[in-house]
PDB file of all heavy atoms in Angstrom:
ATOM      1  N   GLY A   1     -23.714  19.923 -83.409  1.00 96.00           N
ATOM      2  CA  GLY A   1     -24.744  20.890 -83.056  1.00 96.00           C
ATOM      3  C   GLY A   1     -25.137  20.894 -81.598  1.00 96.00           C
ATOM      4  O   GLY A   1     -26.018  21.658 -81.193  1.00 96.00           O
ATOM      5  N   GLU A   2     -24.511  20.022 -80.801  1.00 97.00           N
ATOM      6  CA  GLU A   2     -24.693  20.038 -79.347  1.00 97.00           C
ATOM      7  C   GLU A   2     -23.320  20.246 -78.723  1.00 97.00           C
ATOM      8  O   GLU A   2     -22.414  19.436 -78.932  1.00 97.00           O
ATOM      9  CB  GLU A   2     -25.311  18.734 -78.852  1.00 97.00           C
ATOM     10  CG  GLU A   2     -26.742  18.517 -79.305  1.00 97.00           C
ATOM     11  CD  GLU A   2     -27.344  17.238 -78.741  1.00 97.00           C
ATOM     12  OE1 GLU A   2     -26.798  16.727 -77.732  1.00 97.00           O
ATOM     13  OE2 GLU A   2     -28.323  16.754 -79.315  1.00 97.00           O
ATOM     14  N   GLN A   3     -23.178  21.317 -77.952  1.00 96.00           N
ATOM     15  CA  GLN A   3     -21.848  21.722 -77.508  1.00 96.00           C
ATOM     16  C   GLN A   3     -21.099  20.623 -76.752  1.00 96.00           C
ATOM     17  O   GLN A   3     -19.909  20.397 -76.990  1.00 96.00           O
ATOM     18  CB  GLN A   3     -21.931  22.979 -76.644  1.00 96.00           C
ATOM     19  CG  GLN A   3     -20.559  23.548 -76.298  1.00 96.00           C
ATOM     20  CD  GLN A   3     -20.640  24.813 -75.480  1.00 96.00           C
ATOM     21  OE1 GLN A   3     -21.250  24.833 -74.415  1.00 96.00           O
ATOM     22  NE2 GLN A   3     -20.047  25.878 -75.980  1.00 96.00           N
ATOM     23  N   SER A   4     -21.775  19.931 -75.839  1.00 96.00           N
ATOM     24  CA  SER A   4     -21.085  18.911 -75.050  1.00 96.00           C
ATOM     25  C   SER A   4     -20.571  17.778 -75.931  1.00 96.00           C
ATOM     26  O   SER A   4     -19.455  17.279 -75.730  1.00 96.00           O
ATOM     27  CB  SER A   4     -22.007  18.362 -73.960  1.00 96.00           C
ATOM     28  OG  SER A   4     -23.156  17.751 -74.531  1.00 96.00           O
ATOM     29  N   VAL A   5     -21.374  17.376 -76.925  1.00 98.00           N
ATOM     30  CA  VAL A   5     -20.949  16.319 -77.848  1.00 98.00           C
ATOM     31  C   VAL A   5     -19.807  16.817 -78.726  1.00 98.00           C
ATOM     32  O   VAL A   5     -18.804  16.124 -78.925  1.00 98.00           O
ATOM     33  CB  VAL A   5     -22.121  15.834 -78.718  1.00 98.00           C
ATOM     34  CG1 VAL A   5     -21.655  14.779 -79.724  1.00 98.00           C
ATOM     35  CG2 VAL A   5     -23.237  15.276 -77.845  1.00 98.00           C
ATOM     36  N   ASP A   6     -19.945  18.028 -79.251  1.00 98.00           N
ATOM     37  CA  ASP A   6     -18.906  18.583 -80.110  1.00 98.00           C
ATOM     38  C   ASP A   6     -17.572  18.705 -79.376  1.00 98.00           C
ATOM     39  O   ASP A   6     -16.512  18.368 -79.920  1.00 98.00           O
ATOM     40  CB  ASP A   6     -19.330  19.957 -80.635  1.00 98.00           C
ATOM     41  CG  ASP A   6     -20.362  19.863 -81.748  1.00 98.00           C
ATOM     42  OD1 ASP A   6     -20.256  18.935 -82.571  1.00 98.00           O
ATOM     43  OD2 ASP A   6     -21.270  20.709 -81.801  1.00 98.00           O
ATOM     44  N   LYS A   7     -17.593  19.188 -78.144  1.00 98.00           N
ATOM     45  CA  LYS A   7     -16.360  19.423 -77.398  1.00 98.00           C
ATOM     46  C   LYS A   7     -15.652  18.124 -77.038  1.00 98.00           C
ATOM     47  O   LYS A   7     -14.420  18.050 -77.062  1.00 98.00           O
ATOM     48  CB  LYS A   7     -16.648  20.218 -76.124  1.00 98.00           C
ATOM     49  CG  LYS A   7     -17.054  21.661 -76.373  1.00 98.00           C
ATOM     50  CD  LYS A   7     -17.335  22.398 -75.089  1.00 98.00           C
ATOM     51  CE  LYS A   7     -16.058  22.694 -74.325  1.00 98.00           C
ATOM     52  NZ  LYS A   7     -16.317  23.582 -73.172  1.00 98.00           N
ATOM     53  N   ASN A   8     -16.419  17.085 -76.734  1.00 98.00           N
ATOM     54  CA  ASN A   8     -15.831  15.848 -76.223  1.00 98.00           C
ATOM     55  C   ASN A   8     -15.538  14.804 -77.291  1.00 98.00           C
ATOM     56  O   ASN A   8     -14.994  13.745 -76.977  1.00 98.00           O
ATOM     57  CB  ASN A   8     -16.757  15.239 -75.165  1.00 98.00           C
ATOM     58  CG  ASN A   8     -16.878  16.108 -73.932  1.00 98.00           C
ATOM     59  OD1 ASN A   8     -15.893  16.683 -73.476  1.00 98.00           O
ATOM     60  ND2 ASN A   8     -18.082  16.223 -73.404  1.00 98.00           N
ATOM     61  N   SER A   9     -15.879  15.112 -78.558  1.00 98.00           N
ATOM     62  CA  SER A   9     -15.799  14.091 -79.605  1.00 98.00           C
ATOM     63  C   SER A   9     -14.820  14.454 -80.724  1.00 98.00           C
ATOM     64  O   SER A   9     -14.558  15.626 -80.981  1.00 98.00           O
ATOM     65  CB  SER A   9     -17.188  13.864 -80.222  1.00 98.00           C
ATOM     66  OG  SER A   9     -18.129  13.512 -79.245  1.00 98.00           O
ATOM     67  N   ILE A  10     -14.338  13.395 -81.378  1.00 98.00           N
ATOM     68  CA  ILE A  10     -13.599  13.516 -82.634  1.00 98.00           C
ATOM     69  C   ILE A  10     -14.491  12.894 -83.701  1.00 98.00           C
ATOM     70  O   ILE A  10     -14.950  11.748 -83.548  1.00 98.00           O
ATOM     71  CB  ILE A  10     -12.255  12.767 -82.573  1.00 98.00           C
ATOM     72  CG1 ILE A  10     -11.345  13.379 -81.504  1.00 98.00           C
ATOM     73  CG2 ILE A  10     -11.555  12.788 -83.933  1.00 98.00           C
ATOM     74  CD1 ILE A  10     -10.091  12.581 -81.237  1.00 98.00           C
ATOM     75  N   PHE A  11     -14.747  13.627 -84.778  1.00 98.00           N
ATOM     76  CA  PHE A  11     -15.652  13.140 -85.823  1.00 98.00           C
ATOM     77  C   PHE A  11     -14.852  12.640 -87.023  1.00 98.00           C
ATOM     78  O   PHE A  11     -14.063  13.382 -87.605  1.00 98.00           O
ATOM     79  CB  PHE A  11     -16.625  14.247 -86.234  1.00 98.00           C
ATOM     80  CG  PHE A  11     -17.574  14.620 -85.133  1.00 98.00           C
ATOM     81  CD1 PHE A  11     -17.284  15.666 -84.272  1.00 98.00           C
ATOM     82  CD2 PHE A  11     -18.736  13.899 -84.934  1.00 98.00           C
ATOM     83  CE1 PHE A  11     -18.144  15.995 -83.226  1.00 98.00           C
ATOM     84  CE2 PHE A  11     -19.609  14.218 -83.893  1.00 98.00           C
ATOM     85  CZ  PHE A  11     -19.308  15.270 -83.045  1.00 98.00           C
ATOM     86  N   VAL A  12     -15.084  11.373 -87.370  1.00 98.00           N
ATOM     87  CA  VAL A  12     -14.423  10.726 -88.504  1.00 98.00           C
ATOM     88  C   VAL A  12     -15.490  10.446 -89.558  1.00 98.00           C
ATOM     89  O   VAL A  12     -16.417   9.657 -89.325  1.00 98.00           O
ATOM     90  CB  VAL A  12     -13.728   9.418 -88.076  1.00 98.00           C
ATOM     91  CG1 VAL A  12     -13.138   8.706 -89.292  1.00 98.00           C
ATOM     92  CG2 VAL A  12     -12.647   9.700 -87.034  1.00 98.00           C
ATOM     93  N   CYS A  13     -15.378  11.092 -90.702  1.00 98.00           N
ATOM     94  CA  CYS A  13     -16.409  11.082 -91.729  1.00 98.00           C
ATOM     95  C   CYS A  13     -15.966  10.239 -92.934  1.00 98.00           C
ATOM     96  O   CYS A  13     -14.933  10.517 -93.551  1.00 98.00           O
ATOM     97  CB  CYS A  13     -16.634  12.531 -92.172  1.00 98.00           C
ATOM     98  SG  CYS A  13     -18.346  12.990 -92.310  1.00 98.00           S
ATOM     99  N   PHE A  14     -16.745   9.219 -93.276  1.00 98.00           N
ATOM    100  CA  PHE A  14     -16.475   8.397 -94.451  1.00 98.00           C
ATOM    101  C   PHE A  14     -17.089   9.034 -95.697  1.00 98.00           C
ATOM    102  O   PHE A  14     -18.217   9.537 -95.639  1.00 98.00           O
ATOM    103  CB  PHE A  14     -17.079   7.001 -94.296  1.00 98.00           C
ATOM    104  CG  PHE A  14     -16.469   6.169 -93.224  1.00 98.00           C
ATOM    105  CD1 PHE A  14     -16.965   6.216 -91.927  1.00 98.00           C
ATOM    106  CD2 PHE A  14     -15.410   5.321 -93.494  1.00 98.00           C
ATOM    107  CE1 PHE A  14     -16.417   5.451 -90.926  1.00 98.00           C
ATOM    108  CE2 PHE A  14     -14.848   4.536 -92.497  1.00 98.00           C
ATOM    109  CZ  PHE A  14     -15.351   4.604 -91.200  1.00 98.00           C
ATOM    110  N   GLU A  15     -16.375   8.987 -96.807  1.00 98.00           N
ATOM    111  CA  GLU A  15     -17.002   9.331 -98.077  1.00 98.00           C
ATOM    112  C   GLU A  15     -18.032   8.244 -98.384  1.00 98.00           C
ATOM    113  O   GLU A  15     -17.697   7.074 -98.562  1.00 98.00           O
ATOM    114  CB  GLU A  15     -15.973   9.400 -99.199  1.00 98.00           C
ATOM    115  CG  GLU A  15     -16.600   9.705-100.555  1.00 98.00           C
ATOM    116  CD  GLU A  15     -15.596   9.755-101.697  1.00 98.00           C
ATOM    117  OE1 GLU A  15     -14.414   9.433-101.474  1.00 98.00           O
ATOM    118  OE2 GLU A  15     -16.011  10.118-102.812  1.00 98.00           O
ATOM    119  N   ASN A  16     -19.293   8.620 -98.439  1.00 98.00           N
ATOM    120  CA  ASN A  16     -20.367   7.657 -98.656  1.00 98.00           C
ATOM    121  C   ASN A  16     -21.638   8.421 -98.980  1.00 98.00           C
ATOM    122  O   ASN A  16     -21.922   9.446 -98.363  1.00 98.00           O
ATOM    123  CB  ASN A  16     -20.573   6.784 -97.408  1.00 98.00           C
ATOM    124  CG  ASN A  16     -21.566   5.666 -97.622  1.00 98.00           C
ATOM    125  OD1 ASN A  16     -22.766   5.855 -97.509  1.00 98.00           O
ATOM    126  ND2 ASN A  16     -21.060   4.477 -97.936  1.00 98.00           N
ATOM    127  N   LEU A  17     -22.421   7.913 -99.926  1.00 97.00           N
ATOM    128  CA  LEU A  17     -23.631   8.613-100.356  1.00 97.00           C
ATOM    129  C   LEU A  17     -24.822   8.365 -99.440  1.00 97.00           C
ATOM    130  O   LEU A  17     -25.825   9.065 -99.528  1.00 97.00           O
ATOM    131  CB  LEU A  17     -24.007   8.198-101.784  1.00 97.00           C
ATOM    132  CG  LEU A  17     -22.966   8.471-102.874  1.00 97.00           C
ATOM    133  CD1 LEU A  17     -23.552   8.138-104.252  1.00 97.00           C
ATOM    134  CD2 LEU A  17     -22.486   9.912-102.828  1.00 97.00           C
ATOM    135  N   GLY A  18     -24.721   7.366 -98.577  1.00 97.00           N
ATOM    136  CA  GLY A  18     -25.821   7.105 -97.648  1.00 97.00           C
ATOM    137  C   GLY A  18     -26.968   6.351 -98.297  1.00 97.00           C
ATOM    138  O   GLY A  18     -26.755   5.443 -99.106  1.00 97.00           O
ATOM    139  N   TRP A  19     -28.206   6.721 -97.941  1.00 97.00           N
ATOM    140  CA  TRP A  19     -29.367   6.022 -98.499  1.00 97.00           C
ATOM    141  C   TRP A  19     -29.600   6.444 -99.954  1.00 97.00           C
ATOM    142  O   TRP A  19     -29.309   7.555-100.345  1.00 97.00           O
ATOM    143  CB  TRP A  19     -30.622   6.242 -97.660  1.00 97.00           C
ATOM    144  CG  TRP A  19     -31.099   7.654 -97.515  1.00 97.00           C
ATOM    145  CD1 TRP A  19     -30.831   8.513 -96.496  1.00 97.00           C
ATOM    146  CD2 TRP A  19     -31.953   8.366 -98.427  1.00 97.00           C
ATOM    147  NE1 TRP A  19     -31.460   9.719 -96.709  1.00 97.00           N
ATOM    148  CE2 TRP A  19     -32.150   9.666 -97.887  1.00 97.00           C
ATOM    149  CE3 TRP A  19     -32.564   8.056 -99.648  1.00 97.00           C
ATOM    150  CZ2 TRP A  19     -32.937  10.632 -98.513  1.00 97.00           C
ATOM    151  CZ3 TRP A  19     -33.339   9.020-100.268  1.00 97.00           C
ATOM    152  CH2 TRP A  19     -33.522  10.286 -99.707  1.00 97.00           C
ATOM    153  N   LEU A  20     -30.143   5.496-100.726  1.00 98.00           N
ATOM    154  CA  LEU A  20     -30.326   5.692-102.160  1.00 98.00           C
ATOM    155  C   LEU A  20     -31.749   5.329-102.576  1.00 98.00           C
ATOM    156  O   LEU A  20     -32.405   4.505-101.927  1.00 98.00           O
ATOM    157  CB  LEU A  20     -29.339   4.814-102.945  1.00 98.00           C
ATOM    158  CG  LEU A  20     -27.853   5.002-102.628  1.00 98.00           C
ATOM    159  CD1 LEU A  20     -27.062   3.823-103.171  1.00 98.00           C
ATOM    160  CD2 LEU A  20     -27.331   6.306-103.216  1.00 98.00           C
ATOM    161  N   GLU A  21     -32.191   5.918-103.670  1.00 97.00           N
ATOM    162  CA  GLU A  21     -33.455   5.546-104.296  1.00 97.00           C
ATOM    163  C   GLU A  21     -33.182   5.143-105.738  1.00 97.00           C
ATOM    164  O   GLU A  21     -32.350   5.763-106.412  1.00 97.00           O
ATOM    165  CB  GLU A  21     -34.446   6.708-104.253  1.00 97.00           C
ATOM    166  CG  GLU A  21     -34.920   7.045-102.855  1.00 97.00           C
ATOM    167  CD  GLU A  21     -35.965   8.151-102.862  1.00 97.00           C
ATOM    168  OE1 GLU A  21     -36.033   8.893-103.871  1.00 97.00           O
ATOM    169  OE2 GLU A  21     -36.697   8.275-101.864  1.00 97.00           O
ATOM    170  N   LYS A  22     -33.879   4.126-106.218  1.00 95.00           N
ATOM    171  CA  LYS A  22     -33.683   3.675-107.599  1.00 95.00           C
ATOM    172  C   LYS A  22     -34.374   4.616-108.565  1.00 95.00           C
ATOM    173  O   LYS A  22     -35.535   4.986-108.363  1.00 95.00           O
ATOM    174  CB  LYS A  22     -34.219   2.258-107.786  1.00 95.00           C
ATOM    175  CG  LYS A  22     -33.689   1.576-109.042  1.00 95.00           C
ATOM    176  CD  LYS A  22     -34.075   0.111-109.066  1.00 95.00           C
ATOM    177  CE  LYS A  22     -33.358  -0.610-110.188  1.00 95.00           C
ATOM    178  NZ  LYS A  22     -33.506   0.026-111.503  1.00 95.00           N
ATOM    179  N   LYS A  23     -33.658   5.014-109.605  1.00 93.00           N
ATOM    180  CA  LYS A  23     -34.245   5.873-110.625  1.00 93.00           C
ATOM    181  C   LYS A  23     -35.164   5.029-111.513  1.00 93.00           C
ATOM    182  O   LYS A  23     -34.781   3.939-111.953  1.00 93.00           O
ATOM    183  CB  LYS A  23     -33.150   6.526-111.472  1.00 93.00           C
ATOM    184  CG  LYS A  23     -32.271   7.503-110.710  1.00 93.00           C
ATOM    185  CD  LYS A  23     -31.194   8.110-111.601  1.00 93.00           C
ATOM    186  CE  LYS A  23     -31.821   9.046-112.629  1.00 93.00           C
ATOM    187  NZ  LYS A  23     -30.775   9.700-113.468  1.00 93.00           N
ATOM    188  N   PRO A  24     -36.361   5.492-111.811  1.00 92.00           N
ATOM    189  CA  PRO A  24     -37.292   4.730-112.647  1.00 92.00           C
ATOM    190  C   PRO A  24     -36.696   4.421-114.024  1.00 92.00           C
ATOM    191  O   PRO A  24     -35.998   5.260-114.607  1.00 92.00           O
ATOM    192  CB  PRO A  24     -38.504   5.662-112.771  1.00 92.00           C
ATOM    193  CG  PRO A  24     -38.409   6.565-111.590  1.00 92.00           C
ATOM    194  CD  PRO A  24     -36.939   6.753-111.324  1.00 92.00           C
ATOM    195  N   LEU A  25     -36.955   3.209-114.520  1.00 89.00           N
ATOM    196  CA  LEU A  25     -36.515   2.776-115.851  1.00 89.00           C
ATOM    197  C   LEU A  25     -35.008   2.936-116.037  1.00 89.00           C
ATOM    198  O   LEU A  25     -34.526   3.305-117.110  1.00 89.00           O
ATOM    199  CB  LEU A  25     -37.264   3.572-116.933  1.00 89.00           C
ATOM    200  CG  LEU A  25     -38.797   3.534-116.850  1.00 89.00           C
ATOM    201  CD1 LEU A  25     -39.415   4.418-117.926  1.00 89.00           C
ATOM    202  CD2 LEU A  25     -39.299   2.106-116.987  1.00 89.00           C
ATOM    203  N   SER A  26     -34.265   2.647-114.978  1.00 91.00           N
ATOM    204  CA  SER A  26     -32.817   2.835-115.020  1.00 91.00           C
ATOM    205  C   SER A  26     -32.145   1.862-114.052  1.00 91.00           C
ATOM    206  O   SER A  26     -32.775   1.352-113.121  1.00 91.00           O
ATOM    207  CB  SER A  26     -32.461   4.280-114.644  1.00 91.00           C
ATOM    208  OG  SER A  26     -31.076   4.421-114.455  1.00 91.00           O
ATOM    209  N   ASN A  27     -30.857   1.600-114.276  1.00 90.00           N
ATOM    210  CA  ASN A  27     -30.070   0.806-113.342  1.00 90.00           C
ATOM    211  C   ASN A  27     -29.306   1.689-112.363  1.00 90.00           C
ATOM    212  O   ASN A  27     -28.447   1.217-111.628  1.00 90.00           O
ATOM    213  CB  ASN A  27     -29.078  -0.084-114.111  1.00 90.00           C
ATOM    214  CG  ASN A  27     -29.775  -1.171-114.893  1.00 90.00           C
ATOM    215  OD1 ASN A  27     -30.778  -1.730-114.424  1.00 90.00           O
ATOM    216  ND2 ASN A  27     -29.264  -1.478-116.072  1.00 90.00           N
ATOM    217  N   GLU A  28     -29.619   2.969-112.365  1.00 96.00           N
ATOM    218  CA  GLU A  28     -28.923   3.914-111.511  1.00 96.00           C
ATOM    219  C   GLU A  28     -29.730   4.218-110.252  1.00 96.00           C
ATOM    220  O   GLU A  28     -30.951   4.042-110.208  1.00 96.00           O
ATOM    221  CB  GLU A  28     -28.659   5.228-112.266  1.00 96.00           C
ATOM    222  CG  GLU A  28     -27.747   5.078-113.476  1.00 96.00           C
ATOM    223  CD  GLU A  28     -27.543   6.398-114.199  1.00 96.00           C
ATOM    224  OE1 GLU A  28     -28.288   7.365-113.911  1.00 96.00           O
ATOM    225  OE2 GLU A  28     -26.646   6.472-115.050  1.00 96.00           O
ATOM    226  N   TYR A  29     -29.014   4.697-109.244  1.00 97.00           N
ATOM    227  CA  TYR A  29     -29.622   5.110-107.991  1.00 97.00           C
ATOM    228  C   TYR A  29     -29.237   6.564-107.729  1.00 97.00           C
ATOM    229  O   TYR A  29     -28.259   7.082-108.278  1.00 97.00           O
ATOM    230  CB  TYR A  29     -29.138   4.232-106.835  1.00 97.00           C
ATOM    231  CG  TYR A  29     -29.549   2.787-106.968  1.00 97.00           C
ATOM    232  CD1 TYR A  29     -28.841   1.917-107.796  1.00 97.00           C
ATOM    233  CD2 TYR A  29     -30.649   2.287-106.275  1.00 97.00           C
ATOM    234  CE1 TYR A  29     -29.215   0.588-107.924  1.00 97.00           C
ATOM    235  CE2 TYR A  29     -31.031   0.958-106.396  1.00 97.00           C
ATOM    236  CZ  TYR A  29     -30.314   0.116-107.226  1.00 97.00           C
ATOM    237  OH  TYR A  29     -30.691  -1.193-107.359  1.00 97.00           O
ATOM    238  N   ILE A  30     -30.002   7.225-106.870  1.00 96.00           N
ATOM    239  CA  ILE A  30     -29.745   8.627-106.564  1.00 96.00           C
ATOM    240  C   ILE A  30     -30.010   8.860-105.076  1.00 96.00           C
ATOM    241  O   ILE A  30     -30.868   8.208-104.486  1.00 96.00           O
ATOM    242  CB  ILE A  30     -30.635   9.545-107.433  1.00 96.00           C
ATOM    243  CG1 ILE A  30     -30.217  11.017-107.295  1.00 96.00           C
ATOM    244  CG2 ILE A  30     -32.110   9.352-107.111  1.00 96.00           C
ATOM    245  CD1 ILE A  30     -30.873  11.933-108.305  1.00 96.00           C
ATOM    246  N   ASN A  31     -29.242   9.759-104.467  1.00 94.00           N
ATOM    247  CA  ASN A  31     -29.502  10.072-103.057  1.00 94.00           C
ATOM    248  C   ASN A  31     -30.153  11.445-102.935  1.00 94.00           C
ATOM    249  O   ASN A  31     -30.410  12.121-103.935  1.00 94.00           O
ATOM    250  CB  ASN A  31     -28.224   9.960-102.209  1.00 94.00           C
ATOM    251  CG  ASN A  31     -27.294  11.157-102.358  1.00 94.00           C
ATOM    252  OD1 ASN A  31     -27.409  11.967-103.277  1.00 94.00           O
ATOM    253  ND2 ASN A  31     -26.351  11.278-101.447  1.00 94.00           N
ATOM    254  N   TRP A  32     -30.419  11.876-101.722  1.00 92.00           N
ATOM    255  CA  TRP A  32     -31.156  13.124-101.500  1.00 92.00           C
ATOM    256  C   TRP A  32     -30.380  14.362-101.933  1.00 92.00           C
ATOM    257  O   TRP A  32     -30.958  15.417-102.139  1.00 92.00           O
ATOM    258  CB  TRP A  32     -31.560  13.238-100.036  1.00 92.00           C
ATOM    259  CG  TRP A  32     -30.407  13.384 -99.085  1.00 92.00           C
ATOM    260  CD1 TRP A  32     -29.596  12.384 -98.619  1.00 92.00           C
ATOM    261  CD2 TRP A  32     -29.945  14.590 -98.479  1.00 92.00           C
ATOM    262  NE1 TRP A  32     -28.647  12.884 -97.764  1.00 92.00           N
ATOM    263  CE2 TRP A  32     -28.844  14.246 -97.654  1.00 92.00           C
ATOM    264  CE3 TRP A  32     -30.345  15.913 -98.529  1.00 92.00           C
ATOM    265  CZ2 TRP A  32     -28.144  15.178 -96.903  1.00 92.00           C
ATOM    266  CZ3 TRP A  32     -29.637  16.853 -97.777  1.00 92.00           C
ATOM    267  CH2 TRP A  32     -28.550  16.485 -96.975  1.00 92.00           C
ATOM    268  N   GLN A  33     -29.064  14.218-102.116  1.00 89.00           N
ATOM    269  CA  GLN A  33     -28.250  15.332-102.580  1.00 89.00           C
ATOM    270  C   GLN A  33     -28.183  15.407-104.107  1.00 89.00           C
ATOM    271  O   GLN A  33     -27.610  16.335-104.657  1.00 89.00           O
ATOM    272  CB  GLN A  33     -26.814  15.199-102.031  1.00 89.00           C
ATOM    273  CG  GLN A  33     -26.693  15.408-100.538  1.00 89.00           C
ATOM    274  CD  GLN A  33     -26.707  16.869-100.149  1.00 89.00           C
ATOM    275  OE1 GLN A  33     -26.701  17.750-101.006  1.00 89.00           O
ATOM    276  NE2 GLN A  33     -26.725  17.143 -98.861  1.00 89.00           N
ATOM    277  N   GLY A  34     -28.756  14.393-104.767  1.00 90.00           N
ATOM    278  CA  GLY A  34     -28.704  14.346-106.227  1.00 90.00           C
ATOM    279  C   GLY A  34     -27.514  13.604-106.780  1.00 90.00           C
ATOM    280  O   GLY A  34     -27.289  13.587-107.989  1.00 90.00           O
ATOM    281  N   SER A  35     -26.724  12.971-105.895  1.00 92.00           N
ATOM    282  CA  SER A  35     -25.559  12.199-106.340  1.00 92.00           C
ATOM    283  C   SER A  35     -26.023  10.902-106.996  1.00 92.00           C
ATOM    284  O   SER A  35     -26.907  10.209-106.482  1.00 92.00           O
ATOM    285  CB  SER A  35     -24.643  11.885-105.157  1.00 92.00           C
ATOM    286  OG  SER A  35     -24.149  13.069-104.566  1.00 92.00           O
ATOM    287  N   ILE A  36     -25.421  10.569-108.146  1.00 93.00           N
ATOM    288  CA  ILE A  36     -25.778   9.362-108.897  1.00 93.00           C
ATOM    289  C   ILE A  36     -24.869   8.212-108.489  1.00 93.00           C
ATOM    290  O   ILE A  36     -23.652   8.367-108.369  1.00 93.00           O
ATOM    291  CB  ILE A  36     -25.653   9.614-110.410  1.00 93.00           C
ATOM    292  CG1 ILE A  36     -26.550  10.786-110.837  1.00 93.00           C
ATOM    293  CG2 ILE A  36     -26.007   8.346-111.190  1.00 93.00           C
ATOM    294  CD1 ILE A  36     -28.023  10.527-110.646  1.00 93.00           C
ATOM    295  N   TYR A  37     -25.467   7.044-108.292  1.00 96.00           N
ATOM    296  CA  TYR A  37     -24.716   5.848-107.919  1.00 96.00           C
ATOM    297  C   TYR A  37     -25.041   4.746-108.923  1.00 96.00           C
ATOM    298  O   TYR A  37     -26.207   4.430-109.152  1.00 96.00           O
ATOM    299  CB  TYR A  37     -25.095   5.399-106.503  1.00 96.00           C
ATOM    300  CG  TYR A  37     -24.279   4.243-105.982  1.00 96.00           C
ATOM    301  CD1 TYR A  37     -23.000   4.435-105.472  1.00 96.00           C
ATOM    302  CD2 TYR A  37     -24.792   2.947-106.001  1.00 96.00           C
ATOM    303  CE1 TYR A  37     -22.251   3.374-104.994  1.00 96.00           C
ATOM    304  CE2 TYR A  37     -24.051   1.883-105.520  1.00 96.00           C
ATOM    305  CZ  TYR A  37     -22.782   2.101-105.014  1.00 96.00           C
ATOM    306  OH  TYR A  37     -22.048   1.043-104.536  1.00 96.00           O
ATOM    307  N   LYS A  38     -23.995   4.127-109.527  1.00 94.00           N
ATOM    308  CA  LYS A  38     -24.195   3.146-110.587  1.00 94.00           C
ATOM    309  C   LYS A  38     -23.670   1.758-110.238  1.00 94.00           C
ATOM    310  O   LYS A  38     -23.705   0.858-111.064  1.00 94.00           O
ATOM    311  CB  LYS A  38     -23.505   3.625-111.870  1.00 94.00           C
ATOM    312  CG  LYS A  38     -24.014   4.960-112.395  1.00 94.00           C
ATOM    313  CD  LYS A  38     -23.273   5.368-113.657  1.00 94.00           C
ATOM    314  CE  LYS A  38     -23.771   6.705-114.174  1.00 94.00           C
ATOM    315  NZ  LYS A  38     -23.048   7.127-115.406  1.00 94.00           N
TER     316      LYS A  38
END
């Protein structure tokens, strides 16, 4: 989203859910996109 950074960089993206929140009364976690992590 910044032209100078975009033009001069190569972006390598890992498959990863990022930060998670624990679902209440569950052993599962969820991220801001709604992806479930077990």
Side-chain angles (χ1 to χ4, degrees):
E2 293 183 19
Q3 187 178 56
S4 61
V5 177
D6 284 323
K7 290 180 72 172
N8 295 320
S9 304
I10 297 171
F11 294 94
V12 176
C13 225
F14 294 89
E15 178 181 6
N16 186 276
L17 300 186
W19 61 264
L20 303 164
E21 292 183 340
K22 197 171 189 308
K23 294 180 69 177
L25 305 177
S26 170
N27 292 323
E28 297 179 347
Y29 296 80
I30 189 169
N31 78 345
W32 66 280
Q33 291 281 354
S35 299
I36 302 296
Y37 185 80
K38 300 179 181 180

